[in-house]
Amino acid sequence: IEGHESAYRRFVVEEFLPGAQSLGLAPTDAWSTAYGEYPGRLLGLVAESRAVADVARRTEKWREMMDTLQEYTHNLTVRLVRMSGGFQW
């Protein structure tokens, strides 16, 4: 959300990423779109297995992090996809 970029970055670096790691989700990449009609921010996380991802996403900690992240975003979308190696959209 415009005007909250610094707070968003601080939350992602200081709370979201460490919180995701504590749930067994490892950060893989972060993208920022400077031009075009694509997501403004994209964060990639990877889990050892589908089961680890499912357990993480059912925790209260995950819900709290998503609630906070929603405060800094428009149209927040979370997708779970099978990792196939290399760049994935």
Side-chain angles (χ1 to χ4, degrees):
I1 295 178
E2 191 172 328
H4 292 84
E5 293 87 351
S6 293
Y8 162 81
R9 280 191 289 279
R10 189 170 42 254
F11 168 71
V12 168
V13 171
E14 295 177 8
E15 296 181 44
F16 181 81
L17 293 176
Q21 288 176 303
S22 75
L23 296 173
L25 306 173
T28 56
D29 52 340
W31 298 81
S32 180
T33 302
Y35 181 81
E37 294 297 320
Y38 295 96
R41 305 283 185 273
L42 179 68
L43 298 173
L45 304 168
V46 65
E48 184 176 312
S49 67
R50 171 70 188 253
V52 169
D54 289 342
V55 167
R57 292 179 61 190
R58 285 193 299 264
T59 64
E60 181 64 25
K61 182 173 197 147
W62 180 261
R63 285 188 291 275
E64 289 171 359
M65 291 190 313
M66 290 295 102
D67 288 346
T68 302
L69 194 55
Q70 184 66 53
E71 294 174 14
Y72 297 116
T73 62
H74 293 292
N75 302 320
L76 176 64
T77 303
V78 176
R79 290 189 228 170
L80 185 61
V81 298
R82 181 182 300 269
M83 187 170 171
S84 63
F87 179 79
Q88 290 180 243
W89 182 256

